């Protein structure tokens, strides 16, 4: 009886995944990660000429884990493909990246070191979490979030995104220019754009309350 229940739950979970993938056939591309970085920035700072460099540092941090995809773009192979979602999609990498950026861009980051470290760590970790919610039809699937302590890849049982970056022949560059991917770019803006708008509203409300004190 327990075995039948487990099989039934597994089937329902798979059905739920497929339902999500049909309705949300998008993957976190730079648009989503950049909007997440912009939303985080707008929560803690005003977007003006004084802080524009800091803004781009936050966007850079939000997309930094993508560096592991560069070898595949330059030298497509099964080996370089397996590097994606590996070491750079881990909490250790997020901490190291936050530390190095905080030190290297301290002239641009105008808040305390500890504050900027935490914010940058959150930005890189957000990238990891969004990719954790991604379905990858081509193995390996999941992210090595606990690298180097574990080489196991983790993915959420309830997936919200799906990868489809290659065209019908499996090529990367034509896939980037496909009509289907253009639809996914638009969907990312529709999904993550309101988060940026809400962040701006929250920031304005905070600043208004401070001015009234």
């Amino acid at each position: 009886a327990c075995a039948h229940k487990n099989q039934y739950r597994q089937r329902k979970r798979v059905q739920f995944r497929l339902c999500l993938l049909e309705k949300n056939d998008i993957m976190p591309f730079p648009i989503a990660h950049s909007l997440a970085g912009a939303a985080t920035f707008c929560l803690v700072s005003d977007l003006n000429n004084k802080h524009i460099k800091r803004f781009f540092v936050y966007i850079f941090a939000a997309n930094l884990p993508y560096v592991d995809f560069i070898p595949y773009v330059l030298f497509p192979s099964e080996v370089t493909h397996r590097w994606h979602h590996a070491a750079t999609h881990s909490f250790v990498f997020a901490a190291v990246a936050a530390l190095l950026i905080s030190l290297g861009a301290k002239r641009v980051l105008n808040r305390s070191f500890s504050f900027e470290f935490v914010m940058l760590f959150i930005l890189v970790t957000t990238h990891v979490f969004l990719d954790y919610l991604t379905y990858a039809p081509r193995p390996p699937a999941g992210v090595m979030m606990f690298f180097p302590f574990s080489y196991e890849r983790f993915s959420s049982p309830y997936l919200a995104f799906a990868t489809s970056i290659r065209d019908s022949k499996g090529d990367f560059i034509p896939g980037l220019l496909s009509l289907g991917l253009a639809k996914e770019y638009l969907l990312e803006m529709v999904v993550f754009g309101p988060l940026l708008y809400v962040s701006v509203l929250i920031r304005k409300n905070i600043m208004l309350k401070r001015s009234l004190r």
Side-chain angles (χ1 to χ4, degrees):
C2 291
H4 287 300
K5 286 184 178 180
N6 289 334
Q7 292 177 359
Y8 174 77
R9 290 173 180 172
Q10 185 65 23
R11 285 198 301 270
K12 295 298 288 185
R13 179 176 292 182
V14 171
Q15 291 173 0
F16 183 71
R17 287 187 181 189
L18 293 176
C19 179
L20 281 175
L21 295 179
E22 290 173 357
K23 294 181 179 179
N24 305 282
D25 189 23
I26 58 175
M27 164 193 177
F29 289 112
I31 293 176
H33 293 303
S34 297
L35 287 173
T40 303
F41 173 86
C42 290
L43 281 175
V44 299
S45 184
D46 298 321
L47 183 56
N48 51 40
N49 292 334
K50 182 180 178 181
H51 299 133
I52 191 65
K53 292 182 179 180
R54 184 171 178 233
F55 172 79
F56 284 112
V57 169
Y58 274 44
I59 300 299
F60 171 78
N63 288 282
L64 187 57
Y66 272 129
V67 296
D68 67 1
F69 203 57
I70 295 176
Y72 177 79
V73 175
L74 298 177
F75 310 102
S77 70
E78 288 298 323
V79 174
T80 54
H81 172 68
R82 290 181 177 276
W83 293 351
H84 189 41
H85 288 174
T88 63
H89 288 67
S90 66
F91 297 122
V92 170
F93 176 82
V96 173
L99 176 63
L100 294 178
I101 296 173
S102 298
L103 293 174
K106 58 183 178 181
R107 292 184 179 180
V108 175
L109 303 172
N110 55 359
R111 302 289 287 271
S112 67
F113 171 81
S114 58
F115 178 86
E116 296 294 0
F117 173 83
V118 171
M119 295 306 300
L120 292 167
F121 178 80
I122 290 174
L123 284 168
V124 180
T125 303
T126 299
H127 183 121
V128 176
F129 178 72
L130 289 175
D131 285 355
Y132 168 75
L133 296 173
T134 301
Y135 168 73
R138 179 184 179 186
V143 295
M144 290 187 187
M145 58 176 59
F146 296 111
F147 179 90
F149 307 106
S150 172
Y151 293 91
E152 183 179 355
R153 292 176 180 266
F154 297 87
S155 61
S156 172
Y158 305 107
L159 304 171
F161 307 99
T163 61
S164 57
I165 198 168
R166 298 171 186 81
D167 68 353
S168 59
K169 297 180 181 179
D171 294 328
F172 177 77
I173 299 300
L176 283 176
L177 304 176
S178 67
L179 181 61
L181 203 58
K183 180 189 71 173
E184 295 176 6
Y185 292 150
L186 179 60
L187 284 172
E188 284 202 354
M189 288 187 283
V190 171
V191 172
F192 290 90
L195 294 177
L196 176 58
Y197 179 70
V198 170
S199 296
V200 172
L201 291 180
I202 293 175
R203 177 67 180 177
K204 287 183 177 180
N205 187 48
I206 293 174
M207 298 307 295
L208 179 61
K209 288 183 178 180
R210 287 181 180 178
S211 63
L212 295 176
R213 290 179 181 177

